Amino acid sequence: MAGTVAIRSLFTPPNVNTSSSVRRTRRACLSVRATVALEQENQAKVSLIRIGTRGSPLALAQAYETRQLLQSAHPDLNQDGAIEIIIIKTTGDKILNQPLADIGGKGLFTKEIDEALLEGRIDIAVHSMKDVPTYIPEGTILPCNLVREDVRDAFISLSAKNLGELPAGSVVGSASLRRQSQILYRYPSLKVVNFRGNVQTRLKKLNEGEVQATLLALAGLKRLNMTETVTDILPIDDMLPAIAQGAIGIACRTNDDTMENYLASLNHEETRLAVSCERAFLTTLDGSCRTPIAGYACRDDEGNCLFRGLVASPDGTRVLETSRKGPYAYDEMVEMGIDAGKELISRAGPGFFNW
């Protein structure tokens, strides 16, 4: 008995209710566990990657695609809240009643997103590559292109099966001088009017009878699961696509090794090289939204790069084309784009690009 008392005196203070002490201890443990669980939950909600994007349905579809690819490649990004999508409204989204050339060109769709990236409000920026200017803002890099979608243009009409069936005087809606010039080159009896807005807005205008037809990038319609609206798909021989059409580009800050490593796992090198070739062509021409320019690089059956480039007058009365073929490798493909651009500048003559 003495031994028992000695043991009790070592571990239990006098006049202490043992059961009450145990209950307090248990409550304290539960409180600690709840605090730890709450902290873990909060940590899970902290975004590891913040994706910046425009807010159009197509832009969001591209951001969702990027998120899905990141989660597939990196299991750590599958927890709730690990990837956050942040919508940024650009100047180009706000001003829809003027041609792009009149309000500053294509950079209007990327400027505010680039600023958010540089200011650290987002970690990566998802762009349609055909909207990205030929310059990349200092402090950012664009190391990643996703697998390219179909580069062709889609013809959509409620009254004709293709462009050739439209009666003389029919109105085609398009915000693209590239499309306008190539339409008028082949069908000078048609009329092309400025037709801006997202895919849904343009289709609404078409259904309301503002125009008899419109052309949209097939890639966008595929990403939106809206290919049922397509009346006809234009062959590349009839409508050379825009530079980088169908390609998604993802930018991050310079020296952000974490984001660069994430993006490296998504990059599709064949697309990146093709886009580099086309953008070298555009850069050489000093292309803007005032000049109809088209270009497309692809891998041929022999594994080589085949590049086709075009410049035109907005009214379609002059169309100049060229092509190049060479190894499917970065340096050679960039040189092909530059060389093709120089050739067309020489053939076009003075004043051709001053529209």
Side-chain angles (χ1 to χ4, degrees), residues 8 44 58 66 87 117 138 158 166 181 196 241 250 277 314 321:
R8 186 187 296 272
L58 177 56
T66 301
I87 296 173
L117 182 60
E138 186 176 355
L158 303 179
L166 287 170
S181 63
R196 289 196 54 213
I250 311 176
C277 177
E321 298 183 69

Side-chain angles (χ1 to χ4, degrees), residues 31 50 97 126:
S31 176
R50 295 163 299 167
N97 59 350
V126 178

Side-chain angles (χ1 to χ4, degrees), residues 50-343:
R50 295 163 299 167
I51 299 175
T53 176
R54 294 168 59 199
S56 72
L58 177 56
L60 287 172
Q62 294 176 165
Y64 295 148
E65 180 180 348
T66 301
R67 179 177 65 186
Q68 182 180 4
L69 290 170
L70 282 167
Q71 289 174 332
S72 297
H74 302 279
D76 58 308
L77 299 177
N78 279 301
Q79 60 181 325
D80 290 342
I83 300 178
E84 181 182 5
I85 293 176
I86 297 175
I87 296 173
I88 299 168
K89 197 158 190 175
T90 67
T91 304
D93 296 315
K94 298 172 187 175
I95 305 174
L96 297 174
N97 59 350
Q98 299 179 52
L100 290 173
D102 293 347
I103 55 174
K106 290 186 179 181
L108 294 174
F109 288 117
T110 58
K111 181 174 178 288
E112 287 82 358
I113 299 176
D114 290 334
E115 289 173 351
L117 182 60
L118 287 168
E119 291 169 6
R121 290 184 280 125
I122 59 175
D123 301 303
I124 62 175
V126 178
H127 297 298
S128 292
M129 280 303 302
K130 69 176 183 177
D131 291 334
V132 177
T134 52
Y135 61 87
I136 302 296
E138 186 176 355
T140 70
I141 55 174
L142 209 162
C144 174
N145 288 124
L146 303 186
V147 176
R148 195 173 198 174
E149 250 296 356
D150 198 315
V151 302
R152 294 173 295 173
D153 284 302
F155 171 80
I156 304 173
S157 176
L158 303 179
S159 59
K161 293 181 180 178
N162 51 56
L163 276 169
E165 283 197 3
L166 287 170
S170 295
V171 179
V172 180
S174 177
S176 163
L177 289 179
R178 170 190 64 86
R179 291 180 180 129
Q180 172 182 305
S181 63
Q182 293 184 80
I183 290 170
L184 295 177
Y185 174 66
R186 288 179 172 80
Y187 306 101
S189 65
L190 299 179
K191 181 181 179 182
V192 182
V193 298
N194 186 51
F195 203 60
R196 289 196 54 213
N198 63 36
V199 171
Q200 289 77 5
T201 299
R202 296 187 205 189
L203 292 178
K204 182 173 181 288
K205 291 179 179 179
L206 173 67
N207 289 328
E208 291 173 350
E210 288 191 28
V211 296
Q212 281 71 61
T214 188
L215 268 62
L216 294 171
L218 183 57
L221 295 172
K222 285 189 172 185
R223 290 187 173 118
L224 290 168
N225 295 314
M226 294 178 64
T227 53
E228 74 280 357
T229 63
V230 174
T231 307
D232 188 34
I233 298 174
L234 281 66
I236 290 175
D237 288 343
D238 292 346
M239 181 64 64
L240 199 62
I243 302 299
Q245 184 156 308
I248 296 173
I250 311 176
C252 66
R253 285 181 293 277
T254 305
N255 299 324
D256 188 339
D257 294 338
T258 300
M259 292 303 127
E260 192 171 351
N261 287 335
Y262 277 132
L263 296 184
S265 66
L266 305 189
N267 181 56
H268 186 248
E269 189 65 3
E270 182 172 331
T271 297
R272 189 184 74 85
L273 295 182
V275 168
S276 298
C277 177
E278 295 165 21
R279 284 170 59 83
F281 174 70
L282 184 66
T283 302
T284 303
L285 294 170
D286 193 23
S288 71
C289 289
R290 293 186 181 277
T291 306
I293 298 173
Y296 177 48
C298 64
R299 192 188 294 272
D300 66 14
D301 294 338
E302 300 172 347
N304 291 314
C305 173
L306 177 61
F307 172 76
R308 295 176 58 185
L310 173 154
V311 295
S313 59
D315 62 6
T317 55
R318 287 193 71 191
V319 174
L320 303 175
E321 298 183 69
T322 189
S323 64
R324 295 289 186 280
K325 184 175 181 178
Y328 208 99
Y330 179 82
D331 290 341
E332 289 83 350
M333 291 171 69
V334 167
E335 184 56 39
M336 277 191 278
I338 293 171
D339 190 59
K342 288 179 178 178
E343 179 199 326

